[in-house]
């Protein structure tokens, strides 16, 4: 059935955000479209490079739908990348085989003048077109998740020019020239709001902000570069689209996750693999949320099976899945992994995971 933007029946994924805990929680998985699926590898080979796939709305919509067809997840996540933002700004991105993303590093504040928020339109337009196609082709009960990288995480790639183990280049710049680094973060806040707005206006139902490297900062810097920019993005999106829930994923934040949730105003917390279940189950429940800016009583928890248990499968995976489900029973909860699916994951283990979650009932 074709569904017009904004008229889709909302489906199970949105219910926890309305404060409802379901007998069986909704499920989707980070990186659910990707190299572990043979049908993804086939389309990827046909497209050529990864970015040729991202900027081809027909193919990007097709790979977004692949895991929905195979597993019937409660949500599809737009197939794109957080590094589309620097690419669209004029810092060309490429993906070299086996090397991950490569950008020409932005050494200091002087290089920022080469980046233009006004240059992003054509590439964002292609992403919007993918979302529009998905809105038409997705089953009406499947929610569509749009996303961006958080400014801090995107900045780490822009400054380093590639992935790194400690994000040192960005951390050093931020310490040496706080005002200059703030300019980069401010630009990313502005452009991320544009990128998300474009996705919501094309039909995304829920948003997720990926802050993969939130855990590499001490508390004052975490506040400055993770909390404040995220808070600005959430505030701008809430002003334009108050009904679109936003999930934050401050990977590695540990104890600071509580501060992150109460300060940024996100509706949901994506928990990484290392977040202890007692924090997921208890610390975020009820009154602790009420001192934040929105004073919401409940925060939706999303997570957090170790992606490597999905590689292993069998009793080790099954035991942990049941543990997480039991712990989160009766709470507004979305089942997910603690980080993205890895390429060596056997697709049949994903099928078993979905079956387990769907068969479980709060007891
Ligand atoms: O299915 C989905 O999750 C939706 C699409 C999506 C991708 N990347 C596709 C992708 C999403 C939401 C992302 C987010 C992303 N991209 C993050 C944040 C989440 C996280 O995993 O921590 C980050 C840090 C990136 C940057 C990025 N993109 C890296 C470091 C890499 C190389 C590593 C790798 O896995 O190859 C990518 C490439 C990428 N993005 C792939 C996919 C499916 C693999 C590309 C391929 O086909 O070769």
């Amino acid at each position: 059935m074709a569904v017009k933007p904004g008229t889709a029946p909302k489906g199970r994924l949105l219910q926890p955000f309305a404060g409802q805990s379901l007998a069986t929680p909704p499920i989707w998985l980070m990186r659910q479209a990707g190299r572990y699926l043979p049908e993804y590898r086939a389309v990827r080979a046909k497209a050529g490079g990864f970015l040729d796939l991202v900027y081809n709305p027909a193919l990007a919509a097709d790979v977004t739908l692949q895991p929905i067809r195979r597993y019937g997840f409660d949500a599809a996540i737009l197939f794109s990348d957080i590094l589309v933002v620097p690419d669209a700004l004029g810092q060309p991105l490429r993906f070299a085989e086996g090397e991950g993303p490569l950008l020409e590093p932005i050494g200091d504040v002087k290089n920022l003048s080469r980046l233009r928020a006004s240059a992003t339109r054509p590439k964002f337009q292609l992403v919007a077109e993918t979302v529009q196609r998905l809105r038409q082709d997705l089953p009406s009960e499947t929610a569509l998740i749009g996303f961006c990288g958080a400014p801090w995480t995107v900045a780490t790639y822009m400054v380093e020019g590639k992935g790194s183990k400690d994000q040192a280049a960005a951390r050093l710049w931020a310490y040496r020239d706080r005002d200059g680094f703030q300019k980069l973060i401010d630009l990313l806040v502005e452009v991320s709001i544009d990128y998300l707005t474009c996705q919501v206006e094309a039909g995304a139902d829920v948003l997720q902000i990926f802050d993969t490297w939130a855990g590499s900062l001490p508390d004052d810097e975490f506040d400055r570069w993770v909390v404040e920019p995220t808070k600005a993005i959430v505030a701008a999106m809430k002003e334009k689209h108050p009904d679109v829930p936003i999930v934050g994923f401050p990977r590695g934040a540990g104890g600071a996750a509580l501060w992150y949730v109460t300060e940024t105003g996100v509706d949901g917390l994506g928990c990484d693999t290392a977040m202890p279940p007692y924090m997921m189950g208890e610390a975020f429940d009820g009154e602790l949320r009420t001192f934040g800016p929105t004073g919401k009583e409940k925060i939706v928890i999303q997570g957090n099976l170790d992606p490597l248990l999905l590689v292993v499968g069998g009793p080790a995976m099954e035991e942990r899945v049941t543990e997480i489900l039991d712990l989160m029973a009766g709470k507004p909860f979305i089942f997910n992994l603690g980080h993205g699916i890895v390429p060596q994951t056997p697709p049949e283990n994903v099928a078993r995971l979905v079956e387990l979650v769907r068969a479980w009932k709060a007891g």
Side-chain angles (χ1 to χ4, degrees):
M1 186 181 74
V3 179
K4 288 203 196 77
T7 61
K10 291 307 181 191
R12 285 160 38 80
L13 187 86
L14 294 209
Q15 292 183 15
F17 295 103
Q20 297 159 11
S21 68
L22 303 173
T24 303
I27 176 171
W28 70 277
L29 303 178
M30 291 187 278
R31 283 284 172 95
Q32 63 190 23
R35 286 164 296 188
Y36 76 107
L37 289 178
E39 59 269 35
Y40 172 85
R41 296 194 296 270
V43 175
R44 168 83 156 74
K46 187 166 99 183
F50 173 67
L51 284 178
D52 298 316
L53 179 51
V54 164
Y55 293 131
N56 181 322
L59 295 182
D62 186 41
V63 296
T64 306
L65 291 166
Q66 287 174 346
I68 308 303
R69 293 188 195 110
R70 211 186 240 261
Y71 303 114
F73 288 118
D74 295 296
I77 178 159
L78 162 71
F79 190 84
S80 182
D81 199 85
I82 66 166
L83 300 178
V84 158
V85 164
D87 190 52
L89 274 169
Q91 186 183 16
L93 168 68
R94 60 196 181 86
F95 282 85
E97 214 49 62
E99 271 191 88
L102 295 172
L103 302 128
E104 194 170 311
I106 296 201
D108 62 45
V109 70
K110 291 195 288 297
N111 297 136
L112 290 186
S113 60
R114 284 198 247 138
L115 306 179
R116 301 238 175 269
S118 59
T120 55
R121 266 309 112 205
K123 282 177 175 163
F124 285 8
Q125 189 47 43
L126 292 171
V127 174
E129 230 174 276
T130 307
V131 174
Q132 280 156 2
R133 280 173 182 265
L134 285 165
R135 213 42 298 169
Q136 303 261 314
D137 296 346
L138 271 175
S140 59
E141 69 277 13
T142 313
L144 178 59
I145 302 173
F147 70 91
C148 70
W152 163 248
T153 287
V154 175
T156 65
Y157 289 96
M158 293 174 79
V159 177
E160 190 86 40
K162 55 184 183 349
S164 64
K165 67 175 195 317
D166 53 8
Q167 297 73 56
R171 287 163 58 201
L172 287 169
W173 181 4
Y175 281 131
R176 286 181 176 137
D177 173 19
R178 186 188 292 174
D179 292 346
F181 191 71
Q182 184 74 55
K183 289 197 170 69
L184 172 57
I185 293 291
D186 289 346
L187 175 66
L188 288 171
V189 166
E190 176 193 340
V191 176
S192 303
I193 292 167
D194 257 19
Y195 189 45
L196 293 179
T197 302
C198 175
Q199 294 174 40
V200 169
E201 289 176 356
D205 301 306
V206 175
L207 297 170
Q208 178 153 324
I209 301 175
F210 286 91
D211 217 342
T212 304
W213 302 117
S216 60
L217 295 172
D219 58 356
D220 52 343
E221 294 283 279
F222 179 88
D223 195 39
R224 207 169 275 131
W225 309 124
V226 171
V227 171
E228 288 303 320
T230 304
K231 187 175 177 172
I233 294 173
V234 172
M237 294 313 297
K238 289 293 173 195
E239 204 179 305
K240 298 190 219 194
H241 299 287
D243 297 334
V244 175
I246 304 176
V247 177
F249 178 60
R251 182 168 163 265
L258 182 59
W259 174 245
Y260 173 93
V261 165
T262 54
E263 279 303 301
T264 59
V266 291
D267 305 284
L269 176 70
C271 293
D272 62 68
T273 306
M275 180 75 74
Y278 73 85
M279 281 191 87
M280 295 170 57
E282 290 166 24
F284 293 102
D285 210 15
E287 72 270 35
L288 284 175
R289 185 69 179 84
T290 57
F291 64 75
T294 53
K296 269 175 224 143
E297 290 209 350
K298 297 265 185 195
I299 173 93
V300 174
I301 296 292
Q302 178 177 281
N304 76 343
L305 184 74
D306 187 343
L308 296 190
L309 275 177
L310 197 54
V311 175
V312 172
M317 174 181 89
E318 302 198 1
E319 220 171 88
R320 182 61 178 172
V321 169
T322 309
E323 223 169 78
I324 293 174
L325 288 167
D326 286 343
L327 192 84
M328 298 313 294
K331 300 185 164 49
F333 177 57
I334 297 168
F335 197 98
N336 206 311
L337 302 177
H339 200 192
I341 295 184
V342 297
Q344 67 269 35
T345 303
E348 60 274 18
N349 289 357
V350 179
R352 178 67 189 133
L353 170 64
V354 174
E355 187 181 272
L356 271 173
V357 173
R358 293 261 158 88
W360 183 89
K361 289 259 185 312

